[in-house]
Amino acid sequence: MLKKLCRHTICLGLSLVLFCLDTASTQIAKAPKKRTGTQSEGSLANGGCCEDMRMLKIQVANLTSLLGELSRKHESDWINIHLKSMELENSKKVHEDRLLEAESKISEMNGRLEIMQLQAAQTVTQTTADAIYDCSTLYKRNYKISGVYKLPKDEFLGTPDLEVHCDMETNGGGWTLIQRRKIGLTSFNRDWKQYKEGFGTIRGDFWLGNENIFRLTRQPSVLRIDLEDWEGETRYAEYGFFTISNERNNYKLFISNYSGNAGGDSLRYHNNTNFSTKNKDNDKCVDDCAQLRKGGYWYNCCTDSNLNGVFYRYGEHAKSTDGITWYGWHGSSYSLKRVEMKMRPQNFVAQN
Ligand SMILES: [Ca+2]
């Protein structure tokens, strides 16, 4: 019938051709519908269980998709947390780097200053005949910046060269430091030989050495002790007369003429006593004070101050009697944060 109709359309116009094509496409479209109908009739013939099966399959598919969604959400939450922690870690590192950079710049500047001071001190000795005996001599030569200097070897006095730390500011300046506690990494529980020769680092914590101190006190000297506690308060004690004897007399201490605001003269108790270390008990006690107080010092029986004791940090500083103590200010079990012992000649005159 289609063929017949199409034969007629050859003689008809273009509009009838279109009609023919339209009819044909309708016929073609109908064909698959018929096939589908036949198939579904076949499936229905299998009974009602298939409907349950279909529902179950749908439920399983739904649950699977729900599980997938949950797992994706979980994963994305975890990734977010991980990213945030990485972000925090990075910003912490940036801050740390900046801090390190600042610290290294400061230390570099300090290093340059120290080199300039050393060069200046060396130049002085090359151009003058007078010995550079201590920091007060340097001060008189117009070196008024606090820091590390090198005292040159002196053939006439028979003294070796020596690195010293000069305080050119406190109460007129000109001070040669003989001891400092401020960082706490250097142990002061040392033997006789180490206390004799000196130990530690001149830029940090150190003991200048009993032999050097003895040499420096051969001219009439003043001793000054600067103290700082963990609250940032400072005190000082000054002795208008200070000297120590030689090694044969156990570097015995002589001090007098106290002045200051340190709450009391906590070095007087140690006046006229020998120096003791952990391997040399020269104290006035049946006990071994150097062993008990863990330092080298002019121990009596045993202490009213223990400036070479154990460095305790904040929080640990008020528990032991072997700390860096000054009884007149904070008692027998408060370890100080910072100490400087320094000396200069009695005839020192501060300049403006
Ligand atoms: Ca003893």
Side-chain angles (χ1 to χ4, degrees):
M1 188 183 114
L2 187 67
K3 278 182 183 172
K4 245 186 202 176
L5 192 62
C6 286
R7 232 178 271 146
H8 284 293
T9 55
I10 296 163
C11 314
L12 293 173
L14 186 62
S15 60
L16 278 175
V17 173
L18 285 171
F19 170 78
C20 174
L21 283 172
D22 191 42
T23 312
S25 72
T26 310
Q27 292 287 330
I28 290 160
K30 272 178 183 169
K33 248 187 188 172
K34 205 175 176 183
R35 274 199 301 274
T36 315
T38 316
Q39 238 180 13
S40 83
E41 273 164 26
S43 301
L44 278 168
N46 289 339
C49 68
C50 292
E51 186 59 22
D52 293 344
M53 197 70 152
R54 199 172 65 86
M55 291 308 287
L56 269 172
K57 273 184 183 168
I58 289 169
Q59 278 177 351
V60 167
N62 283 346
L63 279 170
T64 309
S65 115
L66 192 65
L67 267 173
E69 205 176 302
L70 276 171
S71 140
R72 274 194 298 280
K73 193 176 178 306
H74 190 71
E75 199 174 336
S76 95
D77 284 351
W78 190 85
I79 288 170
N80 277 341
I81 289 167
H82 188 64
L83 282 175
K84 276 193 180 142
S85 103
M86 270 169 71
E87 219 172 275
L88 279 171
E89 193 66 33
N90 279 344
S91 92
K92 186 182 153 211
K93 201 177 170 311
V94 167
H95 283 298
E96 278 173 358
D97 285 351
R98 278 187 195 155
L99 195 66
L100 267 175
E101 200 183 315
E103 275 176 355
S104 88
K105 271 186 187 157
I106 288 171
S107 124
E108 195 186 316
M109 278 165 64
N110 281 339
R112 277 189 201 159
L113 192 64
E114 278 168 10
I115 289 166
M116 281 164 66
Q117 286 167 345
L118 285 173
Q119 283 170 343
Q122 277 156 0
T123 312
V124 172
T125 51
Q126 283 159 14
T127 54
T128 60
D130 295 332
I132 307 292
Y133 191 73
D134 60 9
C135 293
S136 76
T137 325
L138 285 170
Y139 182 92
K140 279 183 221 157
R141 301 273 193 282
N142 231 15
Y143 296 100
K144 293 180 180 172
I145 300 167
S146 293
V148 177
Y149 291 85
K150 192 170 191 174
L151 303 178
K153 179 177 165 180
D154 192 291
E155 303 285 354
F156 180 72
L157 292 167
T159 54
D161 62 354
L162 180 67
E163 268 200 330
V164 287
H165 199 285
C166 300
D167 176 350
M168 301 303 206
E169 289 146 54
T170 307
N171 193 22
W175 300 99
T176 306
L177 267 69
I178 62 170
Q179 183 255 31
R180 182 163 60 187
R181 311 297 301 273
K182 67 166 189 177
I183 294 170
L185 297 176
T186 304
S187 167
F188 275 58
N189 194 10
R190 308 272 185 145
D191 63 21
W192 184 264
K193 189 167 177 285
Q194 287 172 306
Y195 267 100
K196 176 185 173 177
E197 290 166 0
F199 57 83
T201 51
I202 202 76
R203 288 158 188 83
D205 295 5
F206 65 88
W207 181 254
L208 192 63
N210 287 336
E211 205 55 38
N212 292 318
I213 298 168
F214 164 67
R215 181 169 61 79
L216 288 169
T217 59
R218 279 191 291 182
Q219 59 181 333
S221 299
V222 175
L223 173 71
R224 181 183 169 100
I225 299 169
D226 284 303
L227 310 167
E228 186 182 334
D229 68 12
W230 290 95
E231 282 69 45
E233 293 278 318
T234 57
R235 297 283 189 278
Y236 78 96
E238 229 177 86
Y239 298 88
F241 176 83
F242 164 59
T243 193
I244 65 170
S245 60
N246 59 15
E247 186 179 17
R248 205 190 315 169
N249 292 298
N250 296 314
Y251 302 116
K252 189 180 272 192
L253 173 72
F254 301 99
I255 41 134
S256 64
N257 298 344
Y258 167 84
S259 63
N261 60 2
D265 176 0
S266 291
L267 201 58
R268 185 196 297 182
Y269 180 65
H270 302 266
N271 187 31
N272 206 24
T273 59
N274 297 320
F275 202 86
S276 291
T277 59
K278 62 180 179 183
N279 63 338
K280 209 161 184 217
D281 179 3
N282 295 320
D283 61 33
K284 297 177 179 173
C285 210
V286 280
D287 287 328
D288 188 338
C289 294
Q291 296 269 2
L292 286 173
R293 298 288 189 261
K294 298 190 181 72
Y297 205 55
W298 301 279
Y299 290 113
N300 188 330
C301 187
C302 284
T303 42
D304 197 34
S305 62
N306 189 34
L307 300 179
N308 289 338
V310 180
F311 186 99
Y312 288 103
R313 295 191 183 282
Y314 183 69
E316 295 291 319
H317 68 294
K319 292 176 183 168
S320 308
T321 54
D322 56 13
I324 304 168
T325 52
W326 185 269
Y327 290 18
W329 185 19
H330 276 300
S332 60
S333 56
Y334 183 106
S335 188
L336 296 165
K337 183 187 173 189
R338 191 182 166 105
V339 176
E340 283 181 0
M341 297 174 77
K342 51 196 83 167
M343 55 181 292
R344 71 181 179 195
Q346 281 175 357
N347 63 7
F348 177 83
V349 182
Q351 297 161 12
N352 293 318

